[in-house]
Amino acid sequence: MTQAPATPKAVRHQHDREIVALAVPAFGALVAEPLFVMADSAIVGHLGTAQLAGLGVASALLTTAVSIFVFLAYATTAAVARRVGAGDLQSAIRQGMDGIWLALLLGAAVFTVVLPTAPGIVELFGASDTAAPYAITYLRISSLGIPAMLVVLAATGVLRGLQDTKTPLYVAVAGFVANAALNVGLVYGADLGIAGSAWGTVIAQCSMAVAYLVVVVRGARRHGASLRPDSAGIRASAQAGVPLLVRTLSLRAVLMIATAVAARLGDADIAAHQIILSLWSLLAFALDAIAIAGQAIIGRFLGAGDAQGARQACRRMMGWGVAVGVLLGVLVVISRPVFLPLFTSDSVVKDAALPALVIVAVSQPICGIVYVLDGVLMGAGDGPYLAWAMLLTLTAFAPVALLVPALDGGLTALWAAMTLMMTVRLVTLWLRTRSGHWLVTGATR
């Protein structure tokens, strides 16, 4: 007796269950990472203002250095998910190992650059004479953990590609707890000061990397995948990552331009901008969790040769992106009176932030679709298009943002320009998904 085909409603419910099962743990893991910095700041802040300022400079540098290589997670997720969809778990894990080996090589290269040049880098970023020694100490010690941080990115991509977002959540939570405990013990118990905070972070990151490697190595042995470095596979991983690196750098450039413009508007505006940017980043975690689910699901469907399933999943995730975006927008509007006093008591800063927050709230549905489509195209391995699209977005955003101070537009105008930037991204990504050119099926793109 032949089985009746699934109804559209049943298909939607199946997609919903899978999206939630992948996105919720992914959100928890994403939120856990910035908690590392918050824990370090809370502990080091009691040492003194100079130590906290030094930590601020060093942690910003480290975060930037690591975030540039986020393609290690994105590209690995897509490549592994395709092979999972094709039913070749051995090849999937082998591809993941290539990504991990690439992470180790890149991490070693970054470490060898950062360690000897730490004083010059800190000076370049304008640290004060009192904060600079602490920033150099923290940066030099923490640079030892950069290879581990990049391995964590790549290994996270492997597990996401294997449709597992729960293990990264468990590792991230355990890493956060270990980091906080080590920081307290080394900073105060061992009286190592800011150096103790750096060592605590290094130990926690290395422990996370080891935990991931244990999981991946077990999977490799179970499916007979080789653990040895393969030069061709590593080169392929690097080539897949280059377009995503261009995309990430272009996005970082947008954020840097926005901050530079806000600084030219005055102290109240830059203070308000930093508050809004912090909220914007937090909202992005919720939307990025859906994008991560999209990377894993779309890659698997295309690897299985199911272009129609990929289209259906894409449409369903777009619905989720809009719904979550609307919810987040409403929460921003409702929470404004409570949110702003947490960061400032300055009425001038509040007055600058309030209208800009309304724009942020209104733009959240747009952001929801952008994040989803970004994840869909990443899952499809459509990196070159994402790179060109983000370069186009940067080209459109930069002149508009730079005109804001000249036209005396203020912070509200700047965040209107940020919404324009997200709208350009929406148009470029929607046109690509509508074209169907991203629907390339098979174990490799």
Side-chain angles (χ1 to χ4, degrees), residues 170-187:
Y170 299 150
V171 174
V173 171
F176 167 72
V177 172
N179 178 67
L182 286 165
N183 268 258
V184 171
L186 294 174
V187 171

Side-chain angles (χ1 to χ4, degrees), residues 218-314:
R218 283 178 179 172
R221 288 176 175 170
R222 187 181 311 119
H223 298 286
S226 173
L227 299 174
R228 295 178 181 177
D230 176 67
S231 58
I234 293 172
R235 282 197 304 272
S237 295
Q239 289 169 358
V242 167
L244 295 180
L245 175 62
V246 172
R247 168 204 167 275
T248 300
L249 290 174
S250 300
L251 183 56
R252 297 293 301 185
V254 165
L255 299 178
M256 289 176 65
I257 289 170
T259 300
V261 169
R264 293 175 63 185
L265 297 176
D267 289 347
D269 283 313
I270 185 61
H273 176 75
Q274 288 304 112
I275 294 171
I276 296 171
L277 193 60
S278 298
L279 175 63
W280 199 66
S281 300
L282 179 62
L283 298 174
F285 286 134
L287 299 173
D288 202 26
I290 306 174
I292 288 169
Q295 294 170 30
I297 293 170
I298 295 299
R300 193 191 71 234
F301 272 118
L302 294 178
D306 188 356
Q308 182 60 26
R311 275 193 181 278
Q312 291 175 343
C314 175

Side-chain angles (χ1 to χ4, degrees), residues 49-416:
T49 302
Q51 288 89 333
L52 183 58
L55 173 66
V57 172
S59 62
L61 289 168
L62 283 167
T63 301
T64 300
V66 173
S67 65
I68 287 173
F69 296 105
V70 73
F71 70 84
L72 290 166
Y74 294 158
T76 305
T77 297
V80 171
R82 274 185 175 270
R83 287 161 176 79
V84 169
D88 189 354
L89 287 176
Q90 182 185 73
S91 177
I93 296 176
R94 173 65 263 180
Q95 180 68 36
M97 285 304 306
D98 292 334
I100 290 173
W101 280 112
L102 175 62
L104 279 171
L105 292 173
L106 291 173
V110 174
F111 165 70
T112 57
V113 171
V114 171
L115 186 65
T117 61
I121 296 174
V122 169
E123 182 180 359
L124 182 65
F125 274 72
S128 67
D129 291 340
T130 53
Y134 298 110
I136 294 168
T137 296
Y138 191 92
L139 185 59
R140 276 183 163 161
I141 296 173
S142 294
S143 66
L144 293 167
I146 289 177
M149 294 177 193
L150 299 193
V151 167
V152 166
L153 284 177
T156 300
V158 175
L159 296 181
R160 288 174 182 169
L162 293 171
Q163 318 297 295
D164 176 10
T165 56
K166 289 184 179 178
T167 299
L169 171 61
Y170 299 150
V171 174
V173 171
F176 167 72
V177 172
N179 178 67
L182 286 165
N183 268 258
V184 171
L186 294 174
V187 171
Y188 297 111
D191 198 24
L192 294 179
I194 195 170
S197 177
W199 280 116
T201 301
V202 169
I203 295 169
Q205 291 286 355
C206 289
S207 299
M208 290 171 65
V210 169
Y212 275 119
L213 290 175
V214 168
V215 174
V216 174
V217 168
R218 283 178 179 172
R221 288 176 175 170
R222 187 181 311 119
H223 298 286
S226 173
L227 299 174
R228 295 178 181 177
D230 176 67
S231 58
I234 293 172
R235 282 197 304 272
S237 295
Q239 289 169 358
V242 167
L244 295 180
L245 175 62
V246 172
R247 168 204 167 275
T248 300
L249 290 174
S250 300
L251 183 56
R252 297 293 301 185
V254 165
L255 299 178
M256 289 176 65
I257 289 170
T259 300
V261 169
R264 293 175 63 185
L265 297 176
D267 289 347
D269 283 313
I270 185 61
H273 176 75
Q274 288 304 112
I275 294 171
I276 296 171
L277 193 60
S278 298
L279 175 63
W280 199 66
S281 300
L282 179 62
L283 298 174
F285 286 134
L287 299 173
D288 202 26
I290 306 174
I292 288 169
Q295 294 170 30
I297 293 170
I298 295 299
R300 193 191 71 234
F301 272 118
L302 294 178
D306 188 356
Q308 182 60 26
R311 275 193 181 278
Q312 291 175 343
C314 175
R315 285 195 292 268
R316 196 58 185 163
M317 280 182 282
M318 286 177 65
W320 273 88
V322 173
V324 174
V326 170
L327 176 61
L328 293 176
V330 172
L331 289 175
V332 169
V333 172
I334 294 174
S335 65
R336 283 185 307 160
V338 178
F339 173 75
L340 286 174
L342 294 176
F343 290 87
T344 182
S345 57
D346 190 329
S347 60
V348 178
V349 174
K350 291 180 183 178
D351 290 342
L354 280 171
L357 278 174
V358 173
I359 293 178
V360 170
V362 172
S363 70
Q364 286 310 296
I366 297 174
C367 295
I369 301 177
V370 167
Y371 274 84
V372 165
L373 295 183
D374 206 38
V376 165
L377 295 183
M378 282 184 189
D382 205 10
Y385 182 84
L386 289 172
W388 285 111
M390 198 61 227
L391 284 171
L392 175 63
T393 301
L394 173 60
T395 303
F397 169 77
V400 175
L402 294 173
L403 277 174
V404 169
L407 298 177
D408 198 24
L411 191 65
T412 303
L414 175 60
W415 276 93

